[in-house]
Amino acid sequence: EAYLLQQGSDLMASIWQHGYGNQAAIAQFGMGNQAQIIQSGAHNTASIEQSGSGLYSRITQVGVGQTAHVRQR
């Protein structure tokens, strides 16, 4: 499953998933932010929340049962 919410201007987000049971969510607010989640494997969970300007986040998960969360303001 993948969820994406963007509100603002000049925002870029991408979610790439390979495998099964992976969950990813990106929420961005502001200007000029970039976020990317890459998941390969099974039952991984990742989320990125950014609010502000000029922020960049990237999560890469390879394997099984990993969890990662990024929050920037």
Side-chain angles (χ1 to χ4, degrees):
E1 293 182 25
Y3 301 95
L4 180 58
L5 170 65
Q6 297 187 111
Q7 189 174 36
S9 60
D10 297 319
L11 302 172
M12 188 286 293
S14 64
I15 296 172
W16 184 86
Q17 294 177 309
H18 180 264
Y20 60 93
N22 294 316
Q23 296 185 354
I26 295 174
Q28 295 192 107
F29 307 92
M31 296 176 48
N33 296 327
Q34 298 181 34
Q36 182 177 48
I37 295 175
I38 300 169
Q39 295 176 310
S40 179
H43 304 292
N44 297 309
T45 302
S47 68
I48 295 173
E49 179 186 341
Q50 298 187 135
S51 177
S53 299
L55 302 172
Y56 174 81
S57 294
R58 178 178 178 171
I59 295 172
T60 302
Q61 296 174 312
V62 179
V64 177
Q66 300 180 61
T67 301
H69 303 284
V70 173
R71 185 176 193 186
Q72 297 190 100
R73 294 187 178 265

